[in-house]
Amino acid sequence: EVQLVESGGGLVQPGRSLRLSCAASGFTFDDYAMHWVRQVPGKGLEWVSGISWNSGSIAYADSVKGRFTISRDNAKNSLYLQMNSLRAEDTALYYCAKDIQYDSSGKLDFWGQGSLVTVSS
Amino acid sequence: EIVLTQSPVTLSLSPGERATLSCGASQSVAGSYLAWYQQKPGLAPRLLIYDASNRATGIPDRFSGSGSGTDFTLTISRLEPEDFAVYYCQQYGSSPWYTFGQGTKLEIK
């Protein structure tokens, strides 16, 4: 059974940093691209970032480019999102999601339950 | 950036009825690279349809997708009680920037 478990969320002040982690199990992690998608509670979905199976291809939404860094450790079956210079508008539930193929296609067939990030003073 | 607009915002129907949800794109979606997701309260989204018309693994055949270019449709042939949820379309044709529609809430009438 595919499982994606996010962690690392919490309350953080504007301008500070936070690192999210996603632990994957139930599939061959290094065979698939991975993504982060966020959702303001009660609102819609926003794709944040994606990374190919071997980290050779990485992309970011314009709203986070230059502030967020996605990475993965295939030996640990883990995905990460380093978030710097956080803003109030980054407040959201952050989902880790699995792509259906090794290179980023954008088709997301499994999602974690999310990690809540709240940016507030 | 391709903007996706879903309509209606809210759709009120009864179990057993047919649901038709629309997703319009601000420009043509390359390759009909469009997906539909279902999200229930407190849960993560679930992939229903990809490449406009292909059902994801385990998705009942009452769900179907169609369309190309700028106009796409998700149809649920006969609504079951568990189908009432929020539905999002997503385009992945302008890789690597993937955008979602604002969602359609399908509620029980």
Side-chain angles (χ1 to χ4, degrees), chain A residues 39 47 60 95 104-106 108 112, chain B residues 37 39 44 90 92 96-98:
Chain A
Q39 184 174 36
W47 174 81
Y60 300 95
Y95 291 106
S104 183
S105 73
L108 311 177
Chain B
Y37 298 84
Q39 187 177 33
Q90 175 218 14
Y92 43 91
W97 299 277
Y98 312 121

Side-chain angles (χ1 to χ4, degrees), chain B residues 4-97:
Chain B
L4 300 179
T5 302
Q6 293 185 239
S7 62
V9 173
T10 304
L11 182 59
S12 300
L13 294 170
S14 300
E17 291 193 293
R18 181 185 185 90
T20 302
L21 288 68
S22 297
C23 177
S26 59
Q27 54 188 285
S28 184
V29 176
S32 293
Y33 289 150
L34 187 116
W36 290 92
Y37 298 84
Q38 176 194 66
Q39 187 177 33
K40 296 180 180 179
L43 297 181
R46 177 173 72 143
L47 178 65
L48 300 175
I49 301 287
Y50 63 93
D51 294 349
S53 60
N54 295 310
R55 272 189 301 277
T57 302
I59 302 303
D61 60 7
R62 64 179 181 274
F63 291 91
S64 63
S66 63
S68 63
T70 60
D71 295 299
F72 298 88
T73 301
L74 174 69
T75 302
I76 310 172
S77 58
R78 277 181 63 87
L79 285 166
E80 298 287 342
E82 62 267 27
D83 297 336
F84 292 91
V86 178
Y87 291 83
Y88 294 96
C89 59
Q90 175 218 14
Q91 71 79 26
Y92 43 91
S94 62
S95 176
W97 299 277

